[in-house]
Amino acid sequence: MGRKNNRFLILIATCSITGVILGGTTSWASTNQCLEANNLTSECLTQDPIHKTVHGMSVGLLAGAGAAVGAAFQLKRQGD
């Protein structure tokens, strides 16, 4: 594997991990905010907080990987 491929994989891994952390944290905070609201909704009470957090983490993973691919593509285009 070439040096550029290693850097690309590290970029994707780093952005994906960051996306997982941010997506999970945001979903967890949203759940807590919903439960502490003055007017509780049925949606708030019926959603499983763990399921919502895992969903946020998976969306963050995809967003982070997509951002990394987009950034690498943009850098490659500027280098040509």
Side-chain angles (χ1 to χ4, degrees):
M1 204 184 285
R3 190 172 186 182
K4 287 190 177 195
N5 285 340
N6 285 339
R7 281 196 267 167
F8 180 65
L9 292 176
I10 290 171
L11 177 67
I12 288 179
T14 304
C15 289
S16 296
I17 290 169
T18 303
V20 167
I21 292 169
L22 289 175
T25 304
T26 302
S27 293
W28 190 260
S30 173
T31 300
N32 286 341
Q33 185 178 16
C34 180
L35 292 174
E36 292 175 0
N38 290 334
N39 298 332
L40 292 176
T41 62
S42 61
E43 179 184 347
C44 178
L45 295 173
T46 58
Q47 284 186 331
D48 180 24
I50 301 298
H51 181 263
K52 188 173 180 180
T53 301
V54 170
H55 182 264
M57 292 169 76
S58 63
V59 170
L61 174 71
L62 292 175
V69 170
F73 179 73
Q74 185 69 21
L75 288 173
K76 184 177 179 185
R77 277 188 49 190
Q78 287 179 355
D80 290 345

